[in-house]
């Protein structure tokens, strides 16, 4: 799995970090990246709204029927569909995959990778990388006293650490 | 587990498969009327993602990735998107018809089944049907019972259900 780029969105859907690590994607204008970030932010919100009726666990009956279905025995119960974890997880296209991770504080980490099919181990792989990025983000952005919340990230150490993680030596 | 099948034409919805489908419900805190609009929400989400897919790639880098030399195959197509609770598989025909299947997130690739539904059922029972309108009016659904029944039985026969 090659990592093409990383985007970080603040909780309002604004793009606060954009970096390409490996060639593979088109370069867009700064404005287009903002539009792209906003679109993903919107679709993320919409995606949880279109959760199929039978999966919504706010009605007790739906939860009961899920427990009784065989196919759900080996699945964990769905997370409350309004929680911020139920938005987009991944997007699969012919030429790249997008994996998303939203922190509890609403910051979205978006990873664009090469398409290797969304195999389950690939998914966990991408999730792992996203979590590592979140750790780097906490260490080198949030602990940086000169960083203004919700503003674009300009921290050299963060650039360095993410490049070390995402770019093959 | 398969939740529902949606077919959109160039404009918006034409058909929601009635038997295999439980109604999609939006809802939530913002706007209770979202219930009615879940078809539009789904269409909007897919439309935006499709645009992202084509925007981020060019023909140049696609030539590197595939050996195909057919022009229309050089475009990047959206295949699916997923949330924690469900996964939407997407297939678009050259005529702009969009087939969407909502399934459990663990189900891998349903493209070929959607293609099957298009070639075997849609083309046979809707496109070749002289009484079926060429362009569906807003709100109009596919009425062909033969189509609905065969799609239903096809989807219910898939081993993933």
């Amino acid at each position: 799995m090659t990592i093409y780029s990383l985007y970080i969105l603040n909780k309002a859907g604004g793009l606060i970090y954009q970096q390409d690590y490996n060639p593979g994607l088109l370069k867009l204008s700064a404005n287009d990246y903002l539009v792209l970030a906003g679109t993903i932010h919107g679709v993320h919100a919409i995606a949880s709204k279109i959760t199929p009726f039978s999966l919504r666990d706010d009605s007790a009956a739906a939860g009961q029927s899920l427990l009784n279905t065989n196919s759900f025995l080996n699945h964990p119960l769905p997370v409350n569909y309004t929680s911020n974890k139920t938005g987009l997880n991944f997007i699969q296209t012919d030429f790249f995959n997008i994996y998303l991770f939203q922190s509890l504080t609403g910051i979205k980490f978006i990873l664009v990778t090469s398409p290797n099919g969304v195999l389950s181990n690939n998914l966990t792989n991408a999730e792992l990388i996203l979590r590592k990025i979140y750790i780097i983000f906490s260490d080198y952005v949030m602990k940086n006293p000169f960083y203004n919340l919700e503003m674009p990230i300009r921290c050299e150490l963060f650039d360095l650490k993410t490049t070390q993680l995402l770019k093959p030596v | 587990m398969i939740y529902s099948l949606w077919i959109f034409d160039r404009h918006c919805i034409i058909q929601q498969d009635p038997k295999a489908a439980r109604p999609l419900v939006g809802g939530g805190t913002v706007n209770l009327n979202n219930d009615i609009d879940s078809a539009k929400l789904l269409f909007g989400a897919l439309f935006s993602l499709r645009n992202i897919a084509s925007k981020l790639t060019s023909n140049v880098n696609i030539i590197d990735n595939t050996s195909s030399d057919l022009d229309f195959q050089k475009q990047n197509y959206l295949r699916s998107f997923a949330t924690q609770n469900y996964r939407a598989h997407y297939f678009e025909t050259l005529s702009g018809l969009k087939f969407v299947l909502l399934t459990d997130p663990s189900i891998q690739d349903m493209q070929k089944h959607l293609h099957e539904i298009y070639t075997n059922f849609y083309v046979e029972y809707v496109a070749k049907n002289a009484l079926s309108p060429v362009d569906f009016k807003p709100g109009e659904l596919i009425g062909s019972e033969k189509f609905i029944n065969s799609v239903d039985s096809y989807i219910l026969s898939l081993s993933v259900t």
Side-chain angles (χ1 to χ4, degrees), chain A residues 5-11 13-19 21 33-34 37-38 41 101 103 106-111 130 133-134 136-138 141-142 147 150-153 158-159 162 166:
Chain A
S5 35
L6 167 73
Y7 310 133
I8 300 177
L9 272 56
N10 65 17
K11 58 175 166 252
L15 188 69
I16 55 173
Y17 191 74
Q18 188 276 323
Q19 187 73 52
Y21 295 96
Y33 279 122
L34 285 174
H41 182 76
F101 166 72
S103 74
I107 295 158
K108 285 187 192 64
F109 296 86
I110 298 168
L111 203 62
L130 282 168
I133 294 169
Y134 186 34
I136 296 174
F137 174 81
S138 322
V141 179
M142 296 318 283
Y147 174 69
E150 311 282 303
M151 294 308 276
I153 299 168
F158 180 71
D159 287 343
T162 48
L166 300 177

Side-chain angles (χ1 to χ4, degrees), chain B residues 10-83:
Chain B
R10 281 177 299 128
H11 313 298
C12 196
I13 188 167
I14 29 174
Q15 207 239 343
Q16 179 198 355
D17 195 29
K19 263 186 246 160
R22 297 286 303 275
L24 284 170
V25 179
T29 48
V30 182
N31 180 3
L32 287 175
N33 289 329
N34 277 350
D35 286 25
I36 308 152
D37 294 332
S38 48
K40 288 176 199 161
L41 287 175
L42 184 61
F43 185 82
L46 288 162
F47 191 82
S48 314
L49 292 178
R50 198 182 69 119
N51 282 352
I52 289 177
S54 58
K55 213 192 231 176
L56 272 176
T57 49
S58 68
N59 286 352
V60 181
N61 83 45
I62 289 155
I63 288 167
D64 299 336
N65 286 334
T66 63
S67 51
S68 158
D69 43 11
L70 286 173
D71 245 357
F72 61 85
Q73 286 186 342
K74 280 179 192 162
Q75 247 189 41
N76 188 16
Y77 287 109
L78 178 68
R79 284 162 165 271
S80 67
F81 73 86
T83 72

Side-chain angles (χ1 to χ4, degrees), chain A residues 24 26 39 47 49-51 53 55-56 72 75 78 81 85-96 118, chain B residues 1 3 22-23 25-27 48 56 58 61-62 75-77 79-87 104 108:
Chain A
L26 270 190
T39 313
K49 296 260 172 206
I50 44 185
T51 301
F53 178 76
L55 281 182
R56 294 181 47 193
F72 266 87
H75 286 280
Y81 84 108
K85 283 187 174 171
T86 53
L88 280 180
N89 256 1
F90 64 80
I91 303 160
Q92 191 189 18
T93 74
D94 282 353
F95 300 115
F96 59 81
V118 186
Chain B
M1 180 182 262
Y3 299 117
R22 297 286 303 275
V25 179
S48 314
L56 272 176
S58 68
N61 83 45
I62 289 155
Q75 247 189 41
N76 188 16
Y77 287 109
R79 284 162 165 271
S80 67
F81 73 86
T83 72
Q84 193 130 355
N85 290 334
Y86 69 92
R87 179 164 173 181
D104 192 79
Q108 288 294 322

